[in-house]
Amino acid sequence: MDTIIILDFGSQVTQLIARRVRECGVYCEIHPFNISEEKLQSFRPKGIILSGGPASVYSEGAPIPSFHVVEFAHKHDIPILGICYGLQLMAFQNGGEVNKSAKREFGRAELRINMQNAIFEGIGEHSLVWMSHGDSLTKIPDGFEIIAHTDNAPICAIAHKEKKAWGVQFHPEVHHTADGKIMLSNFVKNICGCTGDWDAEHFIDAKLREIKEKVGNNGVICALSGGVDSTVAAVLLHKAIGNQLHCIHVDSGLMRTDESATIEKLFREHFSMTIDVVDASALFLGRLAGITDPEQKRKIIGKTFIDVFEIEAKKFGDATFLAQGTLYPDVIESVSVKGPSVTIKSHHNVGGLPEKMNLQLLEPFRELFKDEVRNVGRALGVPDWFVDRHPFPGPGLAIRVLGDVSDDRLSILRRVDDVYLDEIRKAGLYNEIWQAFAVLLPVQSVGVMGDERTYEYVCALRAVTSTDGMTADWYQMPYDVLAKMSNRIINEVRGINRVTYDISSKPPATIEWE
């Protein structure tokens, strides 16, 4: 299929380039800047995009490929687009000059197009763009021409007609660049000649063939958490290999109200699939007793999950593969320019199991973003009410009960969460919000109910907007809705006498509290 390769030079928004390209119906992959020439050619890309990045091309240790990227692309007749640092790298490798800007440029700028060009097809003479750079191109390389400028950047976009090379100083991938999506569509479709037919159905057809060929007659075990990713993966795998798939759902006792029963009903009744539901709640809660440190909680839950899963998985002697719902952001984080990010919190997965049980990993969604998995789910017939569910953490409510995890405190949080989400749905706000949940704080406060003094728990309500969970802003919940939520929670949930609303963004806060 048509493929665009994005070389990552460390930009915080490289993933956005991939998302915008895929929104054009074109498949793309992100690879580190230090990819070898041979490896890059093996993908047979229809186009190459060089991302932005925080470095200067003259800095010690600057990310510079071991080969001349424009000459490589020209040699193989592959169009190339450089964005911000990518533009500066192209100029640097082709004899142009890059210098510190007299005035650094961050934020909106008005782009003035000098001459019409294929990259600007369908765009007027002026367009709003988003800048984020300290260096600027001060001399264009031989053979290139200036095709756009801003007040602060006389050389803002360049092109080399013969070499099919383009470079822009701004970021077309971000939302604030008004015509950015048009520019990227012009590049991948009109210039690179991609057909734009990559969608959920195309992905499903290709993945079904791939799974059948890879699995053969062997068995596959799927760790079914009950989240969107693992559920859609299980449905896809079942469509490919039928009863060779063995789904195991471990009820940790840390789920929301009736969560495990809902999952079991969905698979048995809607998809006519078998699923083994294992009640291990007593084991999980026993091991968590008295534990208050969030990282310790996550590690205990992960270890307990593996212990339980290993016992259950041994019941299926034909199993050769372990299926996981790994997504593309997880994959590219591990091969980023500067290496994996600092651990903010441990991820809950079945890490360690494949090696321990001599299983091969099967990750059907390792090329997809979250919204793309949702589209695949819809195409496979997963009900909208399930596909559109907010993300739920692997460790479950254990990281939303701050402090000690007990049956009583979990019960209180479940009731709060039920009321909170019920009011969000009644107000028609659920699909506007990326994630909403309640947190039980290890804090008690004085209150008064029926002329009597109370000393009960405080809960916090959290709701955020996001596109991929990497950054998030707090959702501005209408006051009248907040008032209903607070009133119902305090009246209906024994043990709560105070409700707060979290108005922190990510960063600096995380979405989850632990």
Side-chain angles (χ1 to χ4, degrees):
M1 61 186 169
D2 294 345
T3 300
I4 298 292
I5 294 297
I6 300 166
L7 298 188
D8 181 19
F9 291 89
S11 170
Q12 294 294 314
V13 290
T14 299
Q15 287 193 41
L16 279 180
I17 305 173
R19 294 179 69 86
R20 298 295 173 259
V21 170
R22 291 185 181 197
E23 285 169 6
C24 297
V26 177
Y27 180 71
C28 66
E29 291 184 6
I30 299 171
H31 289 275
F33 76 91
N34 54 4
I35 188 173
S36 70
E37 195 171 348
E38 295 73 26
K39 180 74 171 175
L40 180 55
Q41 173 57 14
S42 71
F43 293 112
R44 302 183 59 135
K46 296 275 283 189
I48 297 170
I49 298 177
L50 312 178
S51 84
S56 166
V57 290
Y58 297 113
S59 299
E60 185 178 350
I64 296 176
S66 60
F67 56 94
H68 194 296
V69 289
V70 173
E71 290 307 316
F72 168 87
H74 180 49
K75 174 184 174 182
H76 297 286
D77 194 29
I78 303 169
I80 185 168
L81 170 64
I83 296 174
C84 198
Y85 177 89
L87 157 74
Q88 296 164 14
L89 173 73
M90 289 170 58
F92 174 73
Q93 286 194 323
N94 283 274
E97 291 184 7
V98 179
N99 291 290
K100 290 287 182 189
S101 300
K103 176 185 174 185
R104 293 187 302 170
E105 198 170 17
F106 299 97
R108 291 179 177 85
E110 185 179 12
L111 183 75
R112 295 183 176 89
I113 296 173
N114 297 8
M115 62 180 72
Q116 267 308 319
N117 187 279
I119 201 84
F120 297 138
E121 184 71 33
I123 299 172
E125 294 180 3
H126 302 266
S127 186
L128 197 66
V129 298
W130 188 263
M131 294 287 199
S132 180
H133 65 100
D135 289 0
S136 290
L137 185 57
T138 53
K139 176 187 173 185
I140 64 171
D142 291 342
F144 283 81
E145 55 187 356
I146 302 170
I147 58 174
H149 69 280
T150 68
D151 288 343
N152 193 53
I155 306 173
C156 192
I158 62 174
H160 193 301
K161 187 175 181 180
E162 181 189 347
K163 293 184 177 179
K164 298 181 182 178
W166 284 262
V168 295
Q169 185 59 74
F170 54 89
H171 288 270
E173 69 273 25
V174 303
H175 173 73
H176 306 292
T177 296
D179 297 311
K181 191 171 180 181
I182 297 175
M183 297 174 196
L184 288 172
S185 179
N186 284 338
F187 178 71
V188 299
K189 289 184 176 180
N190 300 343
I191 294 172
C192 298
C194 296
T195 55
D197 61 356
W198 191 78
D199 54 20
E201 286 77 11
H202 185 283
F203 171 84
I204 291 168
D205 289 343
K207 193 57 64 173
L208 289 174
R209 290 193 298 271
E210 179 186 317
I211 291 168
K212 288 176 184 176
E213 183 178 342
K214 186 171 184 177
V215 172
N217 296 320
N218 297 302
V220 176
I221 295 172
C222 181
L224 197 61
S225 68
V228 173
D229 304 332
S230 64
T231 297
V232 177
V235 174
L236 176 69
L237 286 162
H238 188 259
K239 188 176 177 69
I241 59 174
N243 292 333
Q244 292 170 246
L245 177 69
H246 312 298
C247 293
I248 301 173
H249 172 72
V250 177
D251 181 356
S252 62
L254 306 170
M255 312 293 282
R256 291 168 292 198
T257 304
D258 299 326
E259 185 90 11
S260 293
T262 300
I263 299 304
E264 185 173 11
K265 184 176 181 181
L266 176 70
F267 274 84
R268 292 190 190 280
E269 296 183 9
H270 188 83
F271 293 114
S272 300
M273 292 171 58
T274 57
I275 173 175
D276 282 15
V277 178
V278 184
D279 183 357
S281 53
L283 178 62
F284 277 86
L285 292 180
R287 290 186 178 182
L288 286 169
I291 304 299
T292 59
D293 179 76
E295 272 299 286
Q296 213 176 341
K297 286 182 187 178
R298 287 176 177 270
K299 289 175 181 175
I300 288 170
I301 291 166
K303 171 68 166 57
T304 306
F305 178 84
I306 289 174
D307 290 345
V308 174
F309 194 84
E310 184 180 13
I311 293 169
E312 295 301 316
K314 285 180 178 176
K315 297 176 182 177
F316 305 102
D318 66 333
T320 305
F321 294 88
L322 174 70
Q324 291 192 157
T326 307
L327 301 187
Y328 197 44
D330 303 322
V331 175
I332 57 181
E333 180 179 301
S334 66
V335 291
S336 63
V337 172
K338 296 184 178 180
S341 303
V342 173
T343 300
I344 305 301
K345 55 192 178 185
S346 301
H347 289 284
H348 174 72
N349 52 33
V350 289
L353 264 180
E355 296 85 358
K356 192 172 184 180
M357 299 181 63
N358 197 28
L359 297 175
Q360 299 178 53
L361 267 181
L362 193 61
E363 298 172 313
F365 296 151
R366 62 182 286 112
E367 304 105 334
L368 301 188
F369 290 100
K370 187 82 174 185
D371 55 331
E372 293 172 324
V373 173
R374 294 189 199 276
N375 291 336
V376 170
R378 291 186 186 96
L380 288 169
V382 180
D384 284 345
W385 65 264
F386 191 91
V387 169
D388 293 329
R389 294 173 92 199
H390 294 172
F392 186 68
L397 299 180
I399 58 168
R400 293 178 180 173
V401 171
L402 273 56
D404 190 29
V405 181
S406 66
D407 265 330
D408 288 344
R409 301 188 74 211
L410 285 166
S411 180
I412 291 172
L413 180 59
R414 286 192 186 98
R415 294 199 298 274
V416 172
D417 210 53
D418 288 346
V419 172
Y420 181 37
L421 294 179
D422 183 50
E423 286 299 325
I424 286 176
R425 289 190 174 96
K426 282 180 178 176
L429 303 176
Y430 189 83
N431 290 335
E432 291 184 18
I433 298 169
W434 166 265
Q435 192 171 3
F437 57 91
V439 179
L440 185 66
L441 307 185
V443 173
Q444 290 176 285
S445 70
V446 174
V448 57
M449 292 182 181
D451 294 328
E452 293 184 0
R453 178 186 186 274
T454 63
Y455 191 60
E456 295 180 332
Y457 286 114
V458 179
C459 72
L461 307 181
R462 177 82 155 138
V464 298
T465 56
S466 182
T467 54
D468 50 24
M470 297 183 67
T471 61
D473 198 6
W474 63 278
Y475 181 74
Q476 298 186 33
M477 193 77 69
Y479 286 167
D480 60 329
V481 179
L482 278 174
K484 289 178 184 177
M485 293 167 174
S486 177
N487 188 57
R488 278 193 62 192
I489 289 169
I490 290 172
N491 282 329
E492 297 177 23
V493 182
R494 187 174 295 277
I496 297 289
N497 70 357
R498 194 176 299 271
V499 176
T500 66
Y501 188 65
D502 183 351
I503 58 170
S504 311
S505 62
K506 175 188 179 181
T510 54
I511 295 178
E512 297 285 348
W513 278 44
E514 287 191 346

